[in-house]
Structures are given as structure tokens and as C-alpha cells.
Amino acid sequence: NELWFADADLRQELSEASSKAHSEYKFEVGTLEEEVQWICPRNGGSSSSSSSSVAPPPAQKQPALAVMRLTDTHFLGFGEADIDSRYQQLARLLHQDKHQDSPIVAAAFRRLEEAGDELREMVSGTRTALAELLEITGNQTPVDHHQKRPQLALLAEVSRLCSALLSACGEGQSPHEAWKRASISRQQGKALYGPRNIEDL
């Protein structure tokens, strides 16, 4: 019920908190054994010293966010710089040129590359979705929208749109009263939902 998405100051504070959380986070790379087991979990056996010519299949596929240690909710989003920084540190340990005789390490390095690509695509898709949503609603570029980490801005604009739609629909129970409330909300200021009419949305 708190219309946080319409509070520019609060959104700016959240954006700054995200930047601070990233700057204060100390990413520490573990040992080769630890990182291989984390990225490509396997049941039993040594992760890096196996003499087998074929890497055993992983017990599970570690999600891309977990591979890059970007699951902390205090981050409030991430960008290419965050991904690249973690990738470079892990790649120095796992690069296939250093472990040509270990298919298990090679598999972990491939998963690292895949995770980096997945997350970069995720960031790009978030920016595209945000731009399309702003075009639909007619809202201006939000104060917390920047090229580094666009997830928070998208969440805010989606919340704005959902709030507008719910105020109009009233969950389908009392459409006349719902439209009345929506009209009042719109008259209170376009900063809340944007310049487009609620009917258009």
C-alpha cells in the first residue's frame, strides 16, 4: 500500500544503497577445489585432480546468479561491471589454459562463461523491458534509471503500472467504484501513474 515507486527521493536512496552494497562487498575466490565444486557440484571424488579423460556429469547446474555470487538481496540489482569483475577473478583460477588435463575444471570454466553470458543477457533484457514500459505508460526516465543496474527501476515502474491497473479494476468486484477511485487518484497528480489516462492503460 505504500506508493514507494512515486517517491523520487526514496528511489534515489535505494539506488545509492545498491551502489554502496556492491562497493562494500568483498568477493573472495576460494581454492580450485572449492570453486569447481561450487560451480559444478558433483557427488564424491576430487574436483580438480581427476585423471579421467571425461568429466562426470554434475549433480546439478548451479544458477548463474549463484555462480557469480549475486544472490544477496542487499545488492538490489547488478550490471555488466559487477558480472565482469567476478568473472575475471574466477577465470584467472579456472581458465582452461591452466588446466588442460582436467576435464572437470574445464567443465567448471565453461559453466562460468555460460553464467556470464546469461547474466549479461538478463541485464540487457531488463533495460529493454524498462524502455518499453516507459513508452507504454508515457512516464519519463526515472531518477534511479542508470546504465549500471536497471533492475530496481524496472521493479518500480512495474509496481507503478500494477498499482494503476488495480485501482482501475478493483479486482473485478466493484468496477464503478474502482473507476471512480482511479479517477480521483489521477486527479491527485500525474506523478503517481504517469501522463497516460488510466483508461488507456
Side-chain angles (χ1 to χ4, degrees), residues 24-57:
E24 293 180 348
Y25 177 73
K26 304 300 182 184
F27 180 64
E28 297 181 359
V29 178
T31 65
L32 182 62
E33 292 277 349
E34 292 170 341
E35 293 299 341
V36 170
Q37 181 61 21
W38 174 256
I39 295 172
C40 288
R42 287 176 170 78
N43 296 322
S46 173
S47 297
S48 61
S49 59
S50 173
S51 60
S52 172
S53 60
V54 179

Side-chain angles (χ1 to χ4, degrees), residues 106-122:
F109 182 70
R110 286 195 298 273
R111 178 59 192 138
L112 174 64
E113 290 188 311
E114 291 173 358
D117 291 340
E118 290 173 22
L119 295 177
R120 292 183 191 95
E121 290 180 6
M122 190 182 300

Side-chain angles (χ1 to χ4, degrees), residues 22-130:
H22 277 281
S23 64
E24 293 180 348
Y25 177 73
K26 304 300 182 184
F27 180 64
E28 297 181 359
V29 178
T31 65
L32 182 62
E33 292 277 349
E34 292 170 341
E35 293 299 341
V36 170
Q37 181 61 21
W38 174 256
I39 295 172
C40 288
R42 287 176 170 78
N43 296 322
S46 173
S47 297
S48 61
S49 59
S50 173
S51 60
S52 172
S53 60
V54 179
Q60 64 184 32
K61 187 176 182 179
Q62 192 73 276
L65 284 170
V67 170
M68 297 294 185
R69 280 53 154 203
L70 287 168
T71 56
D72 193 323
T73 55
H74 291 92
F75 289 150
L76 300 176
F78 59 91
E80 287 91 350
D82 306 311
I83 299 167
D84 292 343
S85 175
R86 288 161 170 76
Y87 173 84
Q88 291 167 7
Q89 293 182 65
L90 289 168
R92 282 195 289 268
L93 178 70
L94 299 170
H95 201 282
Q96 55 191 3
D97 290 347
K98 297 181 179 180
H99 309 283
Q100 296 181 7
D101 59 342
S102 176
I104 298 177
V105 178
F109 182 70
R110 286 195 298 273
R111 178 59 192 138
L112 174 64
E113 290 188 311
E114 291 173 358
D117 291 340
E118 290 173 22
L119 295 177
R120 292 183 191 95
E121 290 180 6
M122 190 182 300
V123 174
S124 177
T126 300
R127 290 198 185 96
T128 299
L130 177 59

Side-chain angles (χ1 to χ4, degrees), residues 184-196:
I184 293 173
S185 296
R186 189 169 67 253
Q187 292 171 6
Q188 289 176 345
K190 291 183 178 180
L192 191 59
Y193 297 130
R196 292 285 179 86

Side-chain angles (χ1 to χ4, degrees), residues 150-195:
Q151 293 90 350
L152 182 62
L154 178 60
L155 175 61
E157 294 307 316
V158 169
S159 299
R160 185 195 300 273
L161 178 60
C162 288
S163 180
L165 293 175
L166 288 173
S167 70
C169 298
E171 298 181 355
Q173 299 301 315
S174 54
H176 175 72
E177 290 301 318
W179 282 106
K180 190 175 179 180
R181 289 194 302 271
S183 178
I184 293 173
S185 296
R186 189 169 67 253
Q187 292 171 6
Q188 289 176 345
K190 291 183 178 180
L192 191 59
Y193 297 130

